[in-house]
Amino acid sequence: MTIQTGKLSDPAVRAFVNAVNAHDRDGFMALLAPGATMSDDGSDRDLDDWTDREIFSSHGHMEVDNESRGGRDLLARYSNDTWGEMRTKWHFEVDGDKITRFETGQA
């Protein structure tokens, strides 16, 4: 069962999912703390390159199935034009209203 985005517990993570699904690059970038980092399947990636390739130029979309750790860990069905749909896990580190790091990978 999918969790409606508006019901996600953590405000920064909720805004992240909304920005991804709305293809709102400016809104997405505004959520990230200066120097924010990310990893995909355990390897650190260049955040700008990865988000352009995996989210914005490929029409990424998240359907959240489960959340834990106060909404900072998600299980989601992620889809984009490159890879189709896959089960993914997401982990967010948040400072105030900014995301300092996110980690994703296949679940």
Side-chain angles (χ1 to χ4, degrees), residues 16 20 28 37-45 47 50-51 53-55 61-62 72-80 83 86-93 101-107:
F16 179 100
V20 167
F28 179 90
T37 60
M38 63 86 51
S39 72
D40 184 4
D41 283 328
S43 299
D44 276 19
R45 307 283 188 203
L47 188 132
W50 188 91
T51 55
R53 189 178 65 251
E54 299 291 340
I55 296 175
H61 189 82
M62 296 175 75
R72 293 189 178 174
D73 286 345
L74 305 179
L75 277 176
R77 283 168 286 135
Y78 187 78
S79 60
N80 66 23
W83 305 108
M86 65 189 90
R87 276 190 65 71
T88 55
K89 59 185 183 227
W90 298 76
H91 168 79
F92 295 89
E93 295 176 18
R101 179 172 176 84
F102 67 92
E103 301 169 359
T104 186
Q106 291 198 48

Side-chain angles (χ1 to χ4, degrees), residues 9-43:
S9 300
D10 187 277
V13 173
R14 183 170 58 241
F16 179 100
V17 174
N18 279 328
V20 167
N21 290 347
H23 309 291
D24 178 3
R25 186 189 303 261
D26 291 340
F28 179 90
M29 297 310 285
L31 294 167
L32 301 177
T37 60
M38 63 86 51
S39 72
D40 184 4
D41 283 328
S43 299

Side-chain angles (χ1 to χ4, degrees), residues 52-69:
D52 180 63
R53 189 178 65 251
E54 299 291 340
I55 296 175
F56 296 108
S57 67
S58 62
H59 306 102
H61 189 82
M62 296 175 75
E63 294 288 334
V64 178
D65 292 328
N66 196 333
E67 67 172 8
S68 58
R69 227 175 50 86

